[in-house]
Amino acid sequence: MQTRGALTSLMCVMSCAWLHSGLASRLKSPILPIQSEREPLTSKGMSGCSFGGRFYSLEDTWHPDLGEPFGVMHCVKCYCETQRGRKGKVLGKVSCKNIKQDCPEPSCDDPVLLPGQCCKTCPKGDVDRKQVEAMFDGFEYFQEKEKEDDLHKTYNDRSYLSSEDISPGESRTDFVAVLTGVTDSWLPSSSGVARARFSLTRTSLTFSITYQRIGRPSRVVFLDSDGNTAFEYKTPKGDSDMICGVWKNLPQSHVRQIQAEQLRVTMTTATGRREVIEGKIIKHRALFAETFSSTLTSEEEHSGMGGIAMLTLSDTENNLHFVLILQGLIQHRERDSPLVPIQVRLQYRQHVLREIHANVTAYDTDFAEVLTDLNSRELFWLSRGQLVITVETESQEPRHISGFITGRKSCDTIQSVMSSGDALTAGKTGGVGSAFFHLHDNGTLDYQVQLVGVSSEVMGLTIELKPRRRSKRSVLYDLTPEFDRPSGRAAGSWSRVEARHIHMLLQNELFINVATAHSQEGELRGQIKALFYSGLEAPRHEIPVPLAGQFVAPPVLTSAGGHAWVSVDERCHLHYEIVVAGLSKADDLTVNAHLHGLAEIGELDEHSTNHKRLLTGFYGSQAQGVLKDISVELLRHLDRGTAFIQVSTKVNTRGEIRGRVHVPNNCEFGTRGEVELAEFDDLFVRDPEELKKDPHTCFFESQHHAHGSLWTPNYNRCFTCSCQKRTVICDPVICPVLTCSRTIQPDDKCCPMCVERKNPKDMKTPERLDEHPEGCYFEGDQKMHAPGSTWHPFVPPFGYIKCALCTCKGATGEVHCEKVTCPALTCSRPVRRSPSDCCKECPEEDNPPLEHADMMQADGTSHCKFGKNFYQNSDNWHPRVPLMGEMKCITCWCDHGVTKCQRKQCPVLTCSNITRREGMCCPECQDSKEEEEELMKVPEKKNSWRH
């Protein structure tokens, strides 16, 4: 809905008098191709603006994105301005303007228009030309990062991505907070300590929180600079000491407060004695390099003391760098002293290994130091999580806090996609490998790996370092003994991970390699890296769905591979996260700057495209989101395992990689999951008092009905009613059209039935009773149907479906449903007599022509509506967009009532100097432009060539 919503929003903002008349609500055909709805579209209780299916905070500015093929309108700038209503309520109003008229006049003779810009600029030498070339080449799945010793490498290692690299669209800022008990209150403080890590993107704040010496918190509350509640997150129940959550649609004002370190976070327990811990959200540069961590607590009850340690190893030496953030350790009476002496000890059990004496101030208790040259025993204990760091004040009444050092914890997922494009010698096999890992506090690394579509027998499965030369692969751990060749899977634990390798694992510096009989150095390879927590309900604890070119029909020999986590929640919304790798720039030259790939979901039946849905378009190596509006048929295919997810690119529009998806769900009737209970209402009568307490119960004809239940009302037996979350929907029974010559109307039935004439020869043989004399039970309407009877199926909450017809096979008791076949029509303008009719009919000759309102309701297949204009079938036009005028580079056409649009396809340019001229749709080579200008200067010579 995002594409359609953005264009509609822009039209409404600029010229929406006709929309307010109510005509827009009757549009039946989409203005542009429909994309999936993102969750959530608005933020309840917050002031802001809704535009094109997105929510913007007050004072936000943006360029509207109309989706493919229009793209981002860089010359249009929209602003969410603050307004106050009659009762003083703060509201948001969208205003957009064309900013092209504000462009400065370029000072050079030949200015260029860079992609993603509105105004032309003057070229500034080779650097700008390289930037233009890179931007026109499109986005890469992975940005290459070459180091000095790799400049002349002859093998492919594009998969190397250090922790400094950030994919397009994944810009994020990390924050941290130490939460301890409040000490300036008359209430007893808490013994609990929590460490919270936050990641801020443009519109959301994800958080990973670990806690000790406190019960499971019931909620996490964010407080603004005035101490008011800005956001509250209710924590799900569980036994884990980790809390994962997301604050979506942050107002711009709160984003500024986070960046200014003005927000605080509190956690409260609900069971036992109510405890509260809180802390300030701050930036810290140590978060970038942190690979080990420790939460420091006190053995003293209700002390309000605590702290965290962020640690990392040097890249080349065995030096352990650490930063301490302490809270509550310095008491009030010591705050008058300029310096407070402390001891920092590194211990194994009760043995002190290292000791440091230092001074901290009362108002800046952060402390940083380096422990040099850790020996092999210290490194071993570090890898096993057996080292303790202790901080103690040097005073007459020393206070101390301590904690075990373990690998860094977070809600991120350590995973890898292995592709042939990322192999040391890149190839195109269409195979893929998928792996995910879990690091325990004791240094054990659990792994699950699956391989599909490899070209030959798997000979080796190894975890490796990045090789400096092709001939010297550095193998750390061999997973081959755990690999089961028939299933293509390996599962196990690596229990001897060294501290150095834990550090490299959490810095995204390890790889997993698959060697085969045909490619002994490696057919598939992938970087082991963290997939950032996004807040979606995708089951990352389960092995993901592999996406391979071999699964596309017909198979595609591609260098790319991928995997996906998919789940269906209790509201029957589909959550998905997709990761791809191995698609090189050379393979995808036609990718433009607006879209890198398309992620789709559909059914495996290649002859049917009715249920295929676009999940999202994406730029980098990941796609994620929530799909809400899913058809019942697609949900059934997900439940049966006959659905697929695929990623398409400009090179392979019918699918680059694909995977089969099986997601068991209870969404057969589009309900919230209580279908099974509703189906057996007749067998197991629910307690009326229990029904009254259910917030989704319906009250109708003096009775309570459970959500999802069906019944025949007392007022008319030829109706079927259903309860849909406190709403009663009653539909009249729709009788199918009978084609037999003789019919009867039973007293206890709503619809007539056919009476078949018996052949005299058949009368001689006594009719044998079949095994199902009572007929067929249909789950849709939860009724029995007589043998041989036909009916239109009832599917709540949609009611009776006239475009399908079900038949009871009396001999087997099976129900057979099929789509109604509409007769061929000879008229040019067929109409649908009633909105509930399945088939259209030819109108009578004396009927008046269709009015605009009828055309807008899409009653005729030959009409399309775009904006305020109507078009006949096969008409084509250039669309007009408010503020931008006619889009000459985009052509739309009317295809039997459906508007389709496409941007002009531009040729792939191989030159280094690329420019875009005014009024031209495609970029062109600067050299060819100069040659053309030279030819224009000598018309005589040009004319002579024609002879």
Side-chain angles (χ1 to χ4, degrees):
M1 301 297 293
Q2 183 179 346
T3 303
R4 174 182 175 184
L7 186 57
T8 304
S9 299
L10 187 59
M11 290 179 170
C12 182
V13 169
M14 303 313 303
S15 55
C16 74
W18 64 282
L19 280 175
H20 287 305
S21 66
L23 301 181
S25 64
R26 294 198 296 270
L27 285 172
K28 297 296 182 181
S29 58
I31 297 177
L32 294 173
I34 295 177
Q35 294 186 10
S36 68
E37 182 178 321
R38 297 201 177 256
E39 182 189 61
L41 297 180
T42 60
S43 189
K44 294 182 179 180
M46 291 172 50
S47 299
C49 303
S50 293
F51 184 95
R54 293 177 181 241
F55 181 80
Y56 296 90
S57 301
L58 297 175
E59 303 180 11
D60 275 0
T61 60
W62 68 94
H63 298 290
D65 186 355
L66 306 188
E68 287 294 308
F70 293 83
V72 179
M73 299 288 102
H74 295 286
C75 288
V76 176
K77 193 171 186 178
C78 296
Y79 173 68
C80 181
E81 58 180 308
T82 303
Q83 288 194 342
R84 290 194 176 272
R86 295 179 180 178
K87 297 183 180 181
K89 184 178 180 180
V90 178
L91 305 172
K93 178 184 177 182
V94 178
S95 61
C96 300
K97 69 173 184 177
N98 192 324
I99 60 175
K100 190 171 185 178
Q101 56 192 9
D102 300 330
C103 291
E105 189 69 26
S107 58
C108 54
D109 296 331
D110 296 311
V112 296
L113 180 63
L114 300 180
Q117 302 294 323
C118 175
C119 303
K120 288 187 174 183
T121 56
C122 294
K124 297 179 181 179
D126 294 338
V127 175
D128 283 340
R129 284 198 296 271
K130 291 179 181 178
Q131 290 178 349
V132 173
E133 178 184 1
M135 295 179 75
F136 270 104
D137 281 343
F139 297 98
E140 278 196 82
Y141 279 85
F142 288 112
Q143 302 291 324
E144 291 187 29
K145 181 178 176 64
E146 294 184 344
K147 298 185 179 180
E148 292 182 3
D149 56 350
D150 292 328
L151 293 178
H152 304 288
K153 62 187 177 186
T154 58
Y155 61 90
N156 174 40
D157 202 9
R158 287 186 312 102
S159 60
Y160 180 71
L161 183 72
S162 77
S163 55
E164 297 176 354
D165 291 310
I166 299 176
S167 301
E170 294 178 356
S171 178
R172 42 191 277 145
T173 307
D174 290 335
F175 299 83
V176 69
V178 182
L179 286 72
T180 57
V182 180
T183 57
D184 55 359
S185 171
W186 62 272
L187 292 171
S189 186
S190 171
S191 305
V193 180
R195 171 240 168 82
R197 181 166 180 151
F198 308 88
S199 293
L200 176 67
T201 60
R202 190 181 71 86
T203 59
S204 64
L205 182 75
T206 59
F207 48 90
S208 305
I209 304 175
T210 56
Y211 56 91
Q212 294 184 22
R213 300 209 64 192
I214 189 174
R216 177 78 175 176
S218 59
R219 63 179 184 270
V220 180
V221 179
F222 292 82
L223 305 176
D224 63 15
S225 55
D226 296 326
N228 300 319
T229 299
F231 175 72
E232 181 175 319
Y233 175 79
K234 293 183 178 179
T235 59
K237 296 180 179 180
D239 299 329
S240 171
D241 61 351
M242 175 80 72
I243 297 174
C244 305
V246 61
W247 178 3
K248 298 182 180 180
N249 292 328
L250 269 77
Q252 199 65 30
S253 58
H254 288 151
V255 171
R256 289 191 290 265
Q257 289 186 24
I258 292 175
Q259 293 172 337
E261 301 183 353
Q262 296 176 347
L263 281 191
R264 299 183 68 83
V265 59
T266 71
M267 295 201 311
T268 307
T269 60
T271 58
R273 186 178 70 85
R274 183 176 181 269
E275 295 186 69
V276 179
I277 57 176
E278 69 171 60
K280 185 179 180 180
I281 301 176
I282 62 172
K283 293 180 183 177
H284 208 295
R285 63 180 185 178
L287 288 167
F288 170 75
E290 178 191 20
T291 51
F292 295 90
S293 65
S294 177
T295 300
L296 311 179
T297 63
S298 171
E299 296 179 357
E300 182 182 342
E301 290 294 329
H302 315 309
S303 65
M305 293 188 297
I308 62 171
M310 295 179 283
L311 308 96
T312 189
L313 284 173
S314 301
D315 287 338
T316 56
E317 299 175 341
N318 293 328
N319 299 333
L320 185 63
H321 301 250
F322 68 90
V323 173
L324 297 175
I325 301 178
L326 310 175
Q327 199 161 289
L329 192 66
I330 310 301
Q331 294 188 340
H332 288 280
R333 62 175 178 269
E334 296 173 323
R335 294 190 175 182
D336 296 333
S337 304
L339 297 175
V340 178
I342 62 171
Q343 283 184 17
V344 180
R345 297 190 297 269
L346 188 68
Q347 299 178 191
Y348 170 67
R349 297 181 177 171
Q350 301 300 322
H351 303 285
V352 177
L353 306 176
R354 306 286 181 105
E355 186 173 273
I356 298 173
H357 296 267
N359 293 317
V360 297
T361 64
Y363 297 97
D364 184 13
T365 55
D366 286 16
F367 174 73
E369 190 53 88
V370 182
L371 300 176
T372 59
D373 298 324
L374 267 66
N375 58 42
S376 58
R377 289 186 306 166
E378 291 170 334
L379 288 171
F380 175 80
W381 293 328
L382 175 63
S383 68
R384 295 297 181 268
Q386 295 175 344
L387 289 184
V388 174
I389 187 167
T390 300
V391 181
E392 185 177 276
T393 60
E394 294 182 347
S395 61
Q396 293 181 351
E397 298 178 0
R399 295 172 305 282
H400 80 275
I401 53 177
S402 62
F404 284 94
I405 302 173
T406 64
R408 185 190 69 218
K409 299 178 182 179
S410 75
C411 299
D412 301 339
T413 302
I414 305 174
Q415 50 85 54
S416 178
V417 174
M418 294 153 271
S419 67
S420 55
D422 285 333
L424 296 181
T425 303
K428 293 184 178 181
T429 66
V432 70
S434 171
F436 78 100
F437 306 83
H438 176 71
L439 181 65
H440 294 273
D441 290 347
N442 64 1
T444 300
L445 184 67
D446 295 340
Y447 58 85
Q448 290 194 51
V449 184
Q450 59 179 340
L451 307 176
V452 294
V454 291
S455 62
S456 55
E457 183 181 0
V458 174
M459 306 301 293
L461 181 62
T462 51
I463 295 177
E464 304 180 357
L465 301 176
K466 178 192 176 185
R468 293 303 177 185
R469 292 187 299 274
R470 179 208 286 256
S471 59
K472 289 190 176 181
R473 286 170 45 206
S474 301
V475 177
L476 297 181
Y477 184 63
D478 189 0
L479 283 62
T480 311
E482 306 299 328
F483 181 70
D484 180 59
R485 286 179 172 79
S487 65
R489 296 196 176 193
S493 297
W494 179 12
S495 60
R496 296 185 178 180
V497 186
E498 298 179 8
R500 169 67 56 191
H501 300 150
I502 292 176
H503 170 82
M504 300 182 74
L505 172 74
L506 298 177
Q507 286 281 54
N508 301 333
E509 294 177 354
L510 297 185
F511 300 84
I512 185 166
N513 196 77
V514 180
T516 61
H518 292 169
S519 301
Q520 296 187 7
E521 284 298 315
E523 179 178 321
L524 304 175
R525 186 177 179 87
Q527 182 187 14
I528 302 174
K529 57 184 296 190
L531 178 63
F532 296 129
Y533 174 70
S534 63
L536 294 176
E537 299 178 21
R540 287 191 179 180
H541 59 280
E542 300 176 1
I543 197 160
V545 176
L547 307 177
Q550 294 286 353
F551 292 154
V552 180
V556 176
L557 295 179
T558 175
S559 61
H563 60 204
W565 284 273
V566 186
S567 66
V568 174
D569 64 20
E570 60 181 7
R571 297 164 296 176
C572 298
H573 297 168
L574 181 80
H575 298 247
Y576 63 90
E577 288 189 272
I578 303 171
V579 183
V580 292
L583 188 63
S584 66
K585 183 191 299 184
D587 295 332
D588 204 10
L589 285 173
T590 58
V591 173
N592 59 43
H594 298 300
L595 192 66
H596 201 143
L598 294 174
E600 300 169 306
I601 187 169
E603 60 184 50
L604 288 172
D605 183 4
E606 292 297 325
H607 302 290
S608 174
T609 59
N610 295 335
H611 309 135
K612 189 175 177 182
R613 288 290 305 275
L614 176 68
L615 291 176
T616 186
F618 59 96
Y619 295 87
S621 60
Q622 300 173 21
Q624 54 189 223
V626 180
L627 186 64
K628 294 182 178 180
D629 183 18
I630 315 178
S631 67
V632 175
E633 291 84 356
L634 186 51
L635 285 166
R636 287 174 179 168
H637 281 284
L638 286 167
D639 186 58
R640 298 168 185 163
T642 54
F644 69 85
I645 277 185
Q646 77 175 17
V647 175
S648 303
T649 62
K650 290 289 183 73
V651 174
N652 291 297
T653 57
R654 295 179 61 86
E656 182 94 23
I657 53 178
R658 175 186 285 194
R660 185 169 183 166
V661 183
H662 181 207
V663 185
N665 61 81
N666 295 322
C667 301
E668 186 175 358
F669 299 101
T671 63
R672 200 171 58 97
E674 293 89 350
V675 176
E676 293 184 12
L677 186 60
E679 287 178 2
F680 296 102
D681 271 351
D682 293 336
L683 299 178
F684 303 99
V685 180
R686 294 182 62 183
D687 184 0
E689 295 301 322
E690 181 184 342
L691 280 176
K692 291 179 182 179
K693 296 177 183 179
D694 188 346
H696 297 128
T697 294
C698 299
F699 187 71
F700 186 77
E701 292 184 331
S702 302
Q703 289 186 353
H704 290 276
H705 299 271
H707 164 66
S709 61
L710 307 176
W711 71 93
T712 300
N714 297 328
Y715 73 89
N716 192 327
R717 296 191 59 81
C718 289
F719 274 73
T720 298
C721 296
S722 65
C723 174
Q724 301 294 326
K725 294 182 180 179
R726 299 186 63 182
T727 301
V728 176
I729 303 173
C730 294
D731 296 279
V733 175
I734 298 177
C735 299
V737 177
L738 303 180
T739 57
C740 53
S741 58
R742 293 183 59 192
T743 62
I744 59 171
Q745 179 63 60
D747 294 337
D748 59 341
K749 301 294 182 183
C750 295
C751 297
M753 299 177 60
C754 288
V755 179
E756 298 182 4
R757 293 179 179 272
K758 296 285 185 178
N759 192 319
K761 295 181 180 180
D762 297 336
M763 298 292 289
K764 295 178 182 179
T765 304
E767 187 172 351
R768 190 177 65 177
L769 293 175
D770 56 63
E771 297 178 0
H772 302 272
E774 70 279 5
C776 307
Y777 176 78
F778 182 60
E779 294 182 351
D781 55 17
Q782 300 175 19
K783 293 181 179 179
M784 293 299 302
H785 294 268
S789 62
T790 59
W791 68 94
H792 293 295
F794 183 86
V795 180
F798 309 105
Y800 287 94
I801 308 300
K802 292 187 69 174
C803 289
L805 197 63
C806 296
T807 304
C808 174
K809 302 294 184 180
T812 61
E814 296 179 353
V815 175
H816 178 71
C817 299
E818 60 183 11
K819 186 177 179 180
V820 172
T821 303
C822 295
L825 303 177
T826 58
C827 54
S828 60
R829 294 184 177 181
V831 296
R832 186 174 281 108
R833 296 294 186 189
S834 171
S836 63
D837 287 348
C838 178
C839 299
K840 295 181 179 181
E841 304 175 7
C842 288
E844 298 178 4
E845 296 181 356
D846 57 348
N847 278 356
L850 289 173
E851 299 293 335
H852 277 186
D854 298 322
M855 295 168 67
M856 288 194 318
Q857 292 178 15
D859 283 337
T861 57
S862 58
H863 303 288
C864 295
K865 183 179 186 296
F866 189 94
K868 297 181 181 180
N869 302 318
F870 294 91
Y871 299 91
Q872 298 292 332
N873 188 39
S874 301
D875 283 356
N876 60 76
W877 67 95
H878 296 300
R880 297 188 66 85
V881 176
L883 298 176
M884 297 299 297
E886 189 176 42
M887 309 290 288
K888 293 185 178 180
C889 299
I890 297 175
T891 301
C892 298
W893 65 95
C894 180
D895 183 7
H896 295 88
V898 179
T899 299
K900 299 180 179 179
C901 298
Q902 184 176 8
R903 182 179 290 274
K904 181 179 179 181
Q905 297 295 319
C906 297
V908 178
L909 302 179
T910 58
C911 55
S912 58
N913 288 338
I914 300 176
T915 185
R916 188 190 297 269
R917 285 193 287 173
E918 187 75 30
M920 303 299 291
C921 297
C922 298
E924 55 188 20
C925 293
Q926 182 74 21
D927 299 337
S928 62
K929 176 186 174 184
E930 293 175 355
E931 291 178 4
E932 185 178 333
E933 290 177 350
E934 290 295 327
L935 292 175
M936 294 298 291
K937 294 179 183 178
V938 283
E940 296 84 3
K941 186 177 181 180
K942 187 175 181 179
N943 290 337
S944 65
W945 290 346
R946 297 177 182 174
H947 296 85

